[in-house]
Amino acid sequence: MFTDTPTQQRAAAPPAGPSRQRRRSAMKAVGLVAALVLLVLVAAASIAVGAKQLSMGQVWHGLFADTGTYGDVVVGERLSRTVLGLLAGAALGLAGAVLQALTRNPLADPGLLGINAGASAAVVTAITFFGVTSLAGYVWFAFAGAMLVGALVWFLGGSRGATPVRLALAGMAIAAALQGYLQALMILDEAALGRMRFWTVGSLGTASWQSIGQVLPFIAVGTLLALALARPLNAMEMGDDTARALGAHLNRTRALSMLAATLLCGAATAACGPIVFVGLMVPHVVRSFTGPDLRWILPYATVLSPVLLLGADVIGRIVVRPSELQVGIVTAVIGGPLFIFLVRRRRTAQL
């Protein structure tokens, strides 16, 4: 026996009355404000807490009055780290939400289309063959690798004839090939292994105002583009035929979605390294209480993804004091079990 798809079920359900729709929108708006408050609190914790213990008075003095030791720690290290976490988290969450809508796969993330692998391969190549050791050099190589892989996936996926399945298959094939390339370089070049290993884990510890300035324009453009695509992506989730009937331009929307995801993920990966689970888990969780409307999913993902990333970074700075655990490790340790729990809970609710 065949069952209706979720899209068909939504179409078959009677439309909610205007008052009920207004109540739902009001609740989502209140929830978004609460998410913003939570983001402010987590950002404050990121500035106040670190591997080096400081009192709240010292943090306040370093933030607003001191140009000496406290100022160097709070403004030079923690504040820049927090700003980079805000930008990278928002970029990864938005990229994941766009790719999940583009591929119609709720488990899609930037790694599915090989964008993370492209950035990683470019950085490892720069370290091994060109001797690049500074973050300023990493950023441009990583971004170039992400853009190149994004364009290659679009071309192999059929460009104008691209479909969600073709894009996903092309991305997975390229990612697998690049992972093999990465492993080969790491085995053959032991001298560069240490530098590669730190970057490929994913960390906010190398944050600087210079790196923030380098990636900020790309994240800003990618964010505006992603938010502008909410309506056409909503139409495409109902199927190509329905989207065409609603006036959506499929090829243009897919191309712009690929561009937005590549800008966002490429910039975040260039500055922080490949950080897993943020772009996968947050949009998936957000969808469970906002519904399928990307006009709500994208703003929520923009706000809650930095909450996850900064929260994981704070935990990494506390658990192994006076050292620290890279945020990529913490998000993997927290995100894996939590994501399995959420998926199982959702499956149980559907039975």
Side-chain angles (χ1 to χ4, degrees), residues 20 27 82 116 161 176-177 222 273 286 288 298 322 329 339:
R20 188 176 180 184
M27 290 176 63
T82 300
N116 278 347
V286 165
S288 67
L298 295 180
I329 298 174
F339 188 69

Side-chain angles (χ1 to χ4, degrees), residues 137-155:
Y138 291 168
V139 166
W140 298 111
F141 275 94
F143 190 75
M147 291 294 291
L148 181 61
V149 169
L152 186 59
V153 168
W154 176 248
F155 175 76

Side-chain angles (χ1 to χ4, degrees), residues 113 147-163 166-167 170-171 174 254-255 258:
L113 296 186
M147 291 294 291
L148 181 61
V149 169
L152 186 59
V153 168
W154 176 248
F155 175 76
L156 294 178
S159 58
R160 288 185 174 273
T163 63
R166 287 182 180 179
L167 291 173
I174 293 173
R254 286 178 180 139
M258 281 290 300

Side-chain angles (χ1 to χ4, degrees), residues 60 109 167 184 225 240 244:
W60 183 267
D109 74 333
L167 291 173
L225 185 56
D240 289 358
R244 288 191 188 94

Side-chain angles (χ1 to χ4, degrees), residues 187-270:
I187 292 172
L188 294 174
D189 190 351
E190 294 183 4
L193 177 60
R195 298 194 298 272
M196 297 178 198
R197 182 176 54 194
F198 182 81
W199 187 84
T200 54
V201 165
S203 173
L204 297 177
T206 56
S208 68
W209 295 111
Q210 180 185 9
S211 63
I212 291 171
Q214 287 174 322
V215 301
L216 179 59
F218 301 108
I219 293 178
V221 172
T223 298
L224 293 175
L225 185 56
L227 293 175
L229 290 169
R231 287 183 180 274
L233 284 173
N234 270 343
M236 287 177 60
E237 282 201 327
M238 293 186 286
D240 289 358
D241 293 337
T242 303
R244 288 191 188 94
L246 293 173
H249 299 276
L250 302 186
N251 292 328
R252 185 175 66 188
T253 301
R254 286 178 180 139
L256 291 176
S257 297
M258 281 290 300
L259 177 61
T262 302
L263 287 170
L264 291 166
C265 184
T269 305

Side-chain angles (χ1 to χ4, degrees), residues 343-351:
V343 171
R344 287 183 59 85
R345 182 181 178 185
R346 183 175 179 181
R347 182 180 177 184
T348 302
Q350 292 174 343
L351 295 178

